[in-house]
């Protein structure tokens, strides 16, 4: 048979369950990309629950005007920790977790290019998260009891200077973010190298699964974007301890300089997170529409285009700092332009659905919700890109609603789809569809209650980061709805976590290819043995398993 | 049409700080642009969202479907080209309209009758200085209304004494940040008299939430009268008011004078708001507290109880001193 190597690659090794201490030792010392991937994911889920809890506390505080549920100091720490945790210790690790797990499998490799660097990157990032939460104990140092940082997740200067932020909470924040940056850079380097040098026979770049392409572009952005952030953190430490004056305005430093450093990281960061999410959707939508992805080359070109343009738009976060008409105009333009490749992606997904046979399994339901929600997030993004409109909207709840639409509505939503889709591969068991549907509906209803209505108080003049507000501004009813939505989302997420645990023990056995899919990870057992493939696979098209299942209509004929 | 949309929006969501209820030129031109952008994005949403919805319903798997996979379609260059070009055209259109509004606002020539006010952000209150008029006040900005036929806009020069802040009165203009070591400018030209509300929009520390903005737009006569009153030093006649006279002595001999100014006295501190005409203001503590004798007394006794995290310390004055200082402060018209 023509495709024998792929068949041979289907290994039948059984995995036995062993005593806990052995297992622990194995996980702590592992350099296996799959185990590291799972640890990234587990770590991210833990922090997701913590940061989600912080969000619920904030929504209780804001549900009614003049509330005294938490003090202003506590509230300011909550939003700082919530934002920093969600970005650096939930979203980044979870994306790298999936990337780690899936990239080698999808390109037919046995591991990442640098397995030890991989373990190092994970542990250093993980340490960063622990360090930040340790500030609750050690943050105030000699000044008294501990306290978390309260400078906001973008930590604008000069609020971070010693005069305005005494004690050590800001130092914990700085070091935690710096370590997370080191880990991200290591993993990004690993992913790019792996994709460029570890592909199996026949896996040309033009045949890479789109998820792999997107992980590679996201990793490329990490190089360019994370370095300025790391540099800025070091400069901040110099300011705080060695009397440098980069951002210390009282000694002639520049607050705007920090903003540039931060957002030249901060904007591309959105794409570092959303490109892997596009990757999930690119894998899931075709399988559940039973059609090849529409316009593969256009999808790749759009992704690479987004990667480059995303590096030139950062100051749209700074339309209100007084840049002058020329600067504003430039960033309006670059920001609006990025909607073109983004639009191309949405249209190609639409065309993939068109004429397909759409199967409403839970992974696909999340991806369809993603399409609508991402569309809205993109459109509110266009509103924000029009500078004079932005002067009204920036730093208001409208912006908060917009970027949660991107992060929760697009990134987290597609991530849930990815969990339901790849869980069988990772554990050998299916997740429960019934619980999955409960999760889906509760979460989606909660999402829309929270984030659709959150736009309104922003339009009515409510700034972000206020711990309370007066009655009579027309904000109260909206904030109550927003708070109720948060409870729905919490319920959905708890069902999801329960489903994860329950299915591990009780889920239906998955087999190696439960979704009748087409990429290489489904050509190996679930969970895959540590060496992934007994024989290095050979592929002849972008969908090797399609070729195997449809010898009468080979994909390679259309390349 | 804009007017009717505006009224429709205000019907659903009423607020004294709505960006859809502009009362000055910068806010009005942002509002005009927002209506354009909103209608374009709404049209895109309906078109693309409609097609998505149609595809999801029309192409769903049905029980009667055969087991065969649907036809595999890999792409089409013509189609890709069309959905690249159409968005580009929309982007160009939006970009040009946006640029026009940017220039209208940022490059508008400054009329010679413009009033200049320097705004200095502090943790957590606003200092206003009228350099040509010799007036210094805090937290409540007074400006003249501007007649479109003979515009008298107010130009704000914005800076900060400590951390970043942002000046945002949604009905007058979009926000502009106050950044230490940097001078920003913006202008407003409210066209009808009234009180316009807003608040600090850049996180500046613990009490960012209670750093409210109040802009009083006044007719030219009222504004001139206000200026005249503010220019007078506070020379309250305390002869018939023993409590206030004693209060003045206590005030002038306590730490208050290190942080506060009362023009014409030894109190020349600049860390806190100027109190020369404190009694002429409607609120204290940068907006959240009504300026009544009772509130003043509580504020001086323990500012933290009204604004936790505030930078004015409690001076632990005894009841008598509190009474007389309050009596003195209420005479500062
Ligand atoms: Cu951005
Ligand atoms: Cu503020």
């Amino acid at each position: 048979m023509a495709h024998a190597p792929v068949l041979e690659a289907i290994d039948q090794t059984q995995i036995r369950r062993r005593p806990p201490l052995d297992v622990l030792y194995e996980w702590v010392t592992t350099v296996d990309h799959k185990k590291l991937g799972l640890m990234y994911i587990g770590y991210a889920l833990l922090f997701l629950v913590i940061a989600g809890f912080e969000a619920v506390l904030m929504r209780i505080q804001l549900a009614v005007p003049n509330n005294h549920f938490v003090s202003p100091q506590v509230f300011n720490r909550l939003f700082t920790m919530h934002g920093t945790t969600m970005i650096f210790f939930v979203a980044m690790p979870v994306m790298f977790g999936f990337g780690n797990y899936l990239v080698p499998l999808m390109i037919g490799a046995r591991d990442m290019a640098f397995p030890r660097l991989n373990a190092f990157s994970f542990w250093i990032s993980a340490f960063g998260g622990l360090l930040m939460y340790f500030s609750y104990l050690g943050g105030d140092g000699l000044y008294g009891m501990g306290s978390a940082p309260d400078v906001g997740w973008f930590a604008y200067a000069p609020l971070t200077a010693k005069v305005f932020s005494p004690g050590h909470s800001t130092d914990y924040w700085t070091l935690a973010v710096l370590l997370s940056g080191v880990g991200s850079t290591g993993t990004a380097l690993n992913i790019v190298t792996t994709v460029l040098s570890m592909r199996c026979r026949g896996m040309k770049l033009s045949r890479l699964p789109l998820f792999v392409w997107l992980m590679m572009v996201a990793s490329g952005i990490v190089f360019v974007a994370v370095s300025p952030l790391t540099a800025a953190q070091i400069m901040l430490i110099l300011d705080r301890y060695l009397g440098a004056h980069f951002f210390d305005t009282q000694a002639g430093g520049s607050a705007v300089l920090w903003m540039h450093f931060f957002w030249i990281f901060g904007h591309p960061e959105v794409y570092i997170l959303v490109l892997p999410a596009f990757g999930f959707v690119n894998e899931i939508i075709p399988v559940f529409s039973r059609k090849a992805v529409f316009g593969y080359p256009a999808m790749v070109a759009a992704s690479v285009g987004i990667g480059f343009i995303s590096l030139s738009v950062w100051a749209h976060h700074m339309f209100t700092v007084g840049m002058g008409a020329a600067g504003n105009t430039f960033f309006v333009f670059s920001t609006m332009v990025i909607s073109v490749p983004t639009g191309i992606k949405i249209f190609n997904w639409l065309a993939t659905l068109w004429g397909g046979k759409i199967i409403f399994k839970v992974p696909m339901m999340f991806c369809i919700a993603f399409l609508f929600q991402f569309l809205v997030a993109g459109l509110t993004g266009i509103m924000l890109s029009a500078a004079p409109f932005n002067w009204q909207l920036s730093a208001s709840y409208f912006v908060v609603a917009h970027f949660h639409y991107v992060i929760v509505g697009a990134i987290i939503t597609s991530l849930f789809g990815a969990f339901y889709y790849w869980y069988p591969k990772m554990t050998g068991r299916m997740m429960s569809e019934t619980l999955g549907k409960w999760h889906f509906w509760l979460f989606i209803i909660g999402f829309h209650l929270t984030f659709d209505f959150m736009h309104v108080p922003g339009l009515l003049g409510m700034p972000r980061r206020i711990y309370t507000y007066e009655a009579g501004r027309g904000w109260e009813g909206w904030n109550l709805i927003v708070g109720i939505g948060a409870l729905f989302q919490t319920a959905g997420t708890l069902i999801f976590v329960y489903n994860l645990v329950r299915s591990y023990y009780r889920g239906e056995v998955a087999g190696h290819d439960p979704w009748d899919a087409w990429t290489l990870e489904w050509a190996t057992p679930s969970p895959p043995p540590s060496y992934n493939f007994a024989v290095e696979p050979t592929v002849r098209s972008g969908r090797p398993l399609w070729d195997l299942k449809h010898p009468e209509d080979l994909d390679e004929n259309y390349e | 049409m804009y007017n009717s949309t505006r009224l429709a929006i205000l019907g659903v969501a009423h607020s004294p700080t709505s960006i859809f209820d502009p009362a000055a030129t910068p806010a009005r031109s942002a509002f005009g642009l927002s209506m354009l952008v909103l209608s374009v994005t709404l049209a895109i949403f309906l078109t693309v969202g409609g097609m998505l919805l149609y595809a999801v319903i029309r192409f769903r798997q049905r029980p009667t479907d055969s087991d065969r996979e649907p036809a595999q379609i890999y792409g089409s260059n013509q189609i890709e080209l069309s959905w690249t070009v159409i968005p580009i055209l929309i982007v160009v259109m939006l970009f040009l309209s946006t640029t026009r509004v940017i220039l209208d606002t940022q490059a508008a020539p400054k009329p010679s009758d413009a009033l200049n006010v320097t705004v200095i952000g502090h943790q957590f209150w606003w200092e206003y200085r009228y350099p040509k008029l010799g007036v210094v006040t805090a937290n409540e900005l007074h400006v003249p209304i501007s007649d479109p036929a003979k515009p008298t806009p107010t130009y704000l020069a914005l800076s900060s004494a400590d951390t970043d802040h942002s000046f945002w009165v949604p009905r007058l203009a979009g926000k502009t940040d106050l950044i230490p070591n940097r001078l920003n400018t913006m202008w407003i030209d409210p066209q009808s008299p009234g009180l316009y509300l807003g608040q600090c929009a850049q996180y500046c520390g613990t009490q960012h939430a209670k750093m409210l903005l109040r802009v009083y737009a006044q007719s030219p006569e009222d504004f001139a009268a206000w200026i005249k009153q503010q220019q007078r030093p506070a020379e309250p006649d305390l002869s018939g008011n023993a409590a206030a006279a004693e209060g003045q002595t206590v005030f002038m001999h306590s730490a208050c004078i290190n942080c506060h100014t009362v023009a014409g006295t030894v109190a020349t501190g600049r860390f806190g708001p100027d109190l020369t005409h404190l009694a002429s203001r409607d609120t204290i503590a940068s907006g959240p507290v009504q300026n009544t004798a009772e509130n003043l007394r509580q504020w001086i006794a323990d500012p933290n109880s009204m604004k936790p995290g505030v930078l004015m310390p409690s001076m632990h004055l005894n009841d008598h001193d509190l009474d007389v200082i309050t009596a003195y402060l209420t005479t500062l018209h």
Side-chain angles (χ1 to χ4, degrees), chain A residues 151-165:
Chain A
V151 289
W153 88 278
F154 42 79
Y156 268 7
L159 206 55
T160 48
K162 270 262 161 192
V163 255
F164 301 111
S165 176

Side-chain angles (χ1 to χ4, degrees), chain A residues 121-195:
Chain A
S121 304
F122 168 72
W123 288 106
I124 199 90
S125 305
F127 182 61
L130 298 181
L131 192 64
M132 194 170 80
Y133 275 84
F134 182 72
S135 67
Y136 268 113
L137 300 176
D140 267 355
L142 293 177
Y143 295 79
M145 283 294 291
S147 76
D150 64 351
V151 289
W153 88 278
F154 42 79
Y156 268 7
L159 206 55
T160 48
K162 270 262 161 192
V163 255
F164 301 111
S165 176
H168 292 300
S169 58
T170 298
D171 302 318
Y172 280 97
W173 179 86
T174 308
L175 288 172
V177 172
L178 195 146
L179 290 184
S180 137
V182 172
S184 308
T185 310
T187 304
L189 181 82
N190 221 336
I191 288 175
V192 172
T193 316
T194 306
V195 177

